[in-house]
């Protein structure tokens, strides 16, 4: 994609992108039908990547290079029986790379994907560089939508004369008592709600449980200045996009209200005020026993599948620091921060320098509160407008929509980039941002702020995918750091006194309030709490790619650890991430659960090995 010269046409390869892609897909389909694995793999570049989302592997799996592709096909080709590969719209050319959205079928379902072709350096023949295949629906179990939508009204003679509302009420009374859920989703934020909506549309009996009073409280109860740092085009939920007049960056209370509205209109079976107390798996019965407290009522549920949708940023990580027991002021994690009200006239020390730390510090100083940010390690900063214009604009922006980009196409394009080479696409973007915002970064560094752009200068997205931390999307706080309005201190915290925070170099910071903006632990911490450490260790670390960069230890695994796919613990799944990931990957998780519900064979190729326990 960095090439700018179109390669010359040859007798065997015309210049027309549609003809070239059609020719490749025709040969690909023929080779697959003939079960000629060698012929198929010969159509891929030596340094090629095939990313599959459930359609071939019943997994979320990337195979790299011809040898791995051959192994996957040798294991899965007969059962998958793929056919009908075709373009869904005209391909495009970018230098010597052709890109095409594709459609296909398998024995069990229908899929879409994305293909990139580039000419072989020796022969000039088109070879596949990247291929994405993703399952979209199961044959015989399609969602009722469009021409197949349910009627809703009772027309003609029907022995069941209950209204829609009466049927819903009866269903709610039975679920969890007379009728056990096939899936129990623990966690009712955007991830759990999106998955609940998908399962509802697929007819899978499920319950989403959450400890808060109302859907959306996960957002409402955060500090009052919280807004999404991702733009609206990136954040739609399944089925119901945000209205065209929705704010570009949604305030937390609007998100909370949208989630509550969404839960109701999508009829997600949602139990609020519900705490999951424990869960154990019966290997023989292949079901869970889950003890819950539903608004004071103790209940036992027996789902076949248990999904932890507690969020990758759900389990607060609070450091243990000497002196916390004698500190006379207030201490809390950023997830419990109420906002600046009530802190005027006090000294607040915020430990941390990533998104939450900046947001909290900005709100505090804007309300006249004396605030110090303690930066313990370097932080990646990217200005919001630069990220929107350079980093996201081609896929998620008003201009992208006007250019014909849909959310589905944007998601497929983003998903089509293999993680192994994604940083190569990100580095030029952040080099451009660094040059564009040079004065901004110079001012920050002059104020003593310790900046980084990731281990390999690949910026925000790779930091997020690898470790889920270490960055801030600037919406104004950095100017306050640069001019000294937000005070800045550096180093690890050594201890607390009755009225101060003492750093490792002896610096003493007067403090009436300490806010721990210290991030969150791995999602398998929730598994340990509910099911015990043995289960958590069987599953292993959740999140990260194995990139062998800071906080993402190797070996290379190539996909997000344990997310949206089968784990080493039967019947246990993890679902989370930002709104974009909750929307996109909820489909693939829901299809895997639906297939199991209907007894469709789901042989998993490449079940993730466990390399790290936490």
């Amino acid at each position: 994609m960095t090439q700018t010269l179109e390669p010359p046409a040859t007798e065997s390869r015309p210049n027309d992108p549609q003809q070239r892609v059609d020719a490749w897909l025709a040969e690909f389909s023929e080779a697959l039908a003939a079960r000629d694995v060698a012929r198929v793999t010969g159509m891929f570049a030596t340094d090629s990547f095939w990313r599959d989302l459930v359609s071939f592997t019943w997994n979320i799996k990337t195979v790299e290079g011809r040898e791995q592709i051959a192994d996957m096909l040798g294991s899965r080709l007969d059962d998958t029986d793929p056919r009908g590969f075709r373009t869904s719209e005209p391909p495009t050319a970018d230098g010597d790379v052709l890109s095409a959205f594709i459609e296909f079928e398998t024995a069990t379902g229908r899929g879409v994907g994305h293909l990139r072709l580039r000419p072989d350096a020796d022969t000039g023949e088109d070879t596949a560089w990247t291929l994405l295949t993703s399952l979209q629906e199961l044959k015989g179990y399609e969602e009722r939508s469009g021409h197949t939508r349910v009627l809703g009204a009772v027309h003609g003679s029907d022995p069941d004369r209950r209204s829609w509302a009466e049927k819903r009420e009866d269903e709610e009374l039975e679920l969890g008592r007379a009728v056990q859920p096939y899936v129990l989703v623990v966690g009712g934020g955007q991830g759990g709600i999106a998955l609940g909506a998908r399962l509802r549309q697929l007819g899978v009996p499920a319950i989403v449980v959450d400890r808060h009073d109302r859907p959306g409280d996960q957002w409402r109860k955060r500090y009052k200045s919280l807004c999404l740092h991702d733009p609206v085009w990136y954040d739609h939920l399944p089925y119901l996009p945000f209205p065209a007049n929705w704010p570009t960056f949604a305030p937390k209370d609007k998100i909370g209200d949208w989630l509550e509205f969404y839960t109701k209109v999508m009829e997600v079976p949602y139990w609020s005020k519900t705490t999951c107390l424990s869960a154990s798996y019966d290997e023989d019965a292949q079901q869970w026993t889950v003890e819950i407290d539903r608004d004071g009522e103790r209940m036992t549920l027996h789902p076949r599948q248990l999904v932890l949708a507690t969020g990758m940023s759900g389990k607060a990580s609070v450091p243990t620091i000497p002196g916390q027991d004698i500190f006379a002021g207030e201490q809390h994690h950023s997830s419990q921060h109420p906002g600046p009200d009530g802190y005027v006239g006090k000294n607040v020390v915020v430990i941390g320098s990533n998104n939450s730390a900046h947001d909290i510090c900005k709100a505090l100083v804007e309300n006249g509160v004396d605030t110090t940010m303690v930066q313990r390690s370097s932080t990646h900063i990217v200005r919001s407008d630069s990220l929107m214009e350079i980093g996201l604009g081609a896929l998620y922006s008003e201009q992208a929509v006007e250019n014909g980009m849909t959310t589905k196409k944007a998601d497929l394009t983003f998903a089509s980039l293999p993680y192994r080479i994604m940083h190569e696409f990100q580095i030029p973007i952040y080099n451009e941002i660094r040059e564009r915002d040079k004065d901004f970064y110079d001012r920050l560094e002059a104020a003593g702020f310790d900046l980084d752009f990731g281990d390999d200068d690949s910026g925000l997205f790779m930091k997020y995918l690898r470790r889920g931390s270490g960055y801030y999307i600037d919406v104004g706080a950095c100017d306050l750091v640069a001019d000294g309005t937000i005070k800045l201190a550096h180093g690890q915290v050594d201890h607390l006194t009755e009225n101060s925070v003492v750093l490792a170099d002896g610096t003493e910071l007067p403090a009436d309030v300490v806010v721990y903006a210290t991030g969150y632990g791995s999602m398998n911490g929730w598994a340990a709490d509910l099911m015990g450490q043995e289960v958590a260790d069987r599953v292993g670390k959740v999140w990260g790619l194995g990139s062998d960069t800071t906080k993402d230890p190797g070996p290379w695994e190539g996909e997000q650890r344990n997310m949206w796919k089968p784990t080493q613990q039967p019947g246990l799944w993890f679902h989370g991430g930002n709104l974009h990931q909750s929307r996109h990957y909820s489909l693939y998780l829901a299809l895997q659960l639906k297939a199991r519900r209907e007894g469709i064979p789901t042989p998993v190729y490449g079940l993730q090995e466990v390399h790290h326990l936490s």
Side-chain angles (χ1 to χ4, degrees), residues 162-474:
R162 292 176 300 165
S163 69
W164 186 285
E166 289 170 335
K167 292 176 182 177
R168 288 281 295 124
E169 183 179 358
D170 290 345
E171 178 188 353
E172 290 175 359
L173 289 173
E174 292 178 343
L175 191 59
R177 292 182 167 84
V179 176
Q180 285 295 309
Y182 181 75
V183 180
L184 179 65
V185 182
V186 180
Q190 67 257 16
I193 289 172
L195 179 60
R198 299 274 197 192
L199 294 171
R200 178 76 180 174
Q201 297 309 304
L202 286 169
V204 178
I207 302 174
V208 180
V209 301
D210 193 271
R211 61 185 175 85
H212 289 94
D213 292 342
R214 297 159 54 196
D217 276 353
Q218 303 87 349
W219 290 87
R220 292 190 193 93
K221 294 185 177 182
R222 299 292 302 278
Y223 51 92
K224 70 178 185 180
S225 62
L226 176 63
C227 290
L228 287 179
H229 289 185
D230 300 320
V232 61
W233 308 277
Y234 187 73
D235 292 329
H236 297 302
L237 289 177
Y239 310 111
L240 286 178
F242 292 111
N245 61 354
W246 195 262
T248 300
F249 300 105
K252 70 177 182 73
D253 295 293
K254 284 189 72 65
I255 288 292
D257 290 345
W258 182 262
L259 291 174
E260 185 169 28
F261 155 80
Y262 183 92
T263 302
K264 186 170 183 63
V265 299
M266 295 305 299
E267 298 183 344
V268 177
Y270 192 102
W271 288 6
S272 57
K273 302 180 183 178
T274 301
T275 302
C276 190
L277 303 174
S278 65
S280 59
Y281 188 71
D282 187 323
E283 298 278 354
D284 295 329
Q286 295 185 334
Q287 71 177 20
W288 293 90
T289 296
V290 184
E291 303 293 336
I292 66 170
D293 182 316
R294 187 184 185 191
D295 197 17
E297 178 186 2
R298 293 290 291 265
M299 298 180 65
T300 302
L301 300 177
H302 294 289
R304 295 283 183 175
Q305 311 290 339
L306 182 63
V307 180
L308 295 189
T310 48
M312 63 156 291
S313 297
K315 190 173 180 60
S317 178
V318 179
T320 299
I321 299 172
Q324 286 174 317
D325 57 334
I326 64 171
F327 181 69
E330 180 182 342
Q331 304 175 68
H332 56 255
H333 188 264
S334 58
S335 60
Q336 303 298 317
H337 184 66
D341 299 344
Y343 296 132
V344 176
K346 296 183 178 181
N347 294 314
V348 179
V349 174
V350 179
I351 300 172
S353 57
N354 297 332
N355 265 337
S356 293
H358 279 85
D359 283 350
I360 290 169
C361 288
K362 181 175 183 288
L364 287 167
V365 298
E366 288 176 344
N367 283 269
V369 179
D370 186 292
T371 305
T372 301
M373 176 191 294
V374 178
Q375 185 178 30
R376 300 175 299 162
S377 59
S378 63
T379 306
H380 171 58
I381 305 290
V382 60
R383 294 177 65 232
S384 176
D385 56 352
S386 297
L387 177 64
M388 287 181 60
E389 181 179 336
I390 301 174
L392 291 172
L395 297 179
Y396 302 99
S397 68
E398 204 67 53
Q399 187 61 53
V401 173
E402 292 174 0
N403 292 341
M405 181 61 69
T406 65
T407 301
K408 183 175 182 178
K409 286 166 58 178
D411 288 350
L412 287 174
T413 302
F414 194 82
S416 72
L417 281 176
Y419 290 131
R420 173 76 82 174
I421 59 173
M422 185 177 285
H423 66 285
E424 297 175 13
F425 290 81
Q426 295 295 308
I427 289 171
I429 291 173
Y430 287 92
N431 285 341
E432 182 179 350
I433 289 173
R434 183 159 20 188
E435 182 61 29
R436 165 178 163 153
D437 296 330
K438 182 178 185 303
D439 290 344
F440 167 78
Y441 290 120
D442 286 347
R443 287 189 293 113
L444 267 178
E445 290 187 313
F449 196 87
D450 189 5
L451 290 167
D452 74 62
F453 279 77
D455 287 14
D456 52 7
D457 290 335
S458 58
L460 174 72
F461 287 117
M462 296 312 301
K463 263 203 163 186
Y464 173 72
L465 294 167
R466 291 165 172 171
R467 53 181 282 189
S469 65
Y471 51 82
Y472 168 58
I473 302 173
D474 179 47

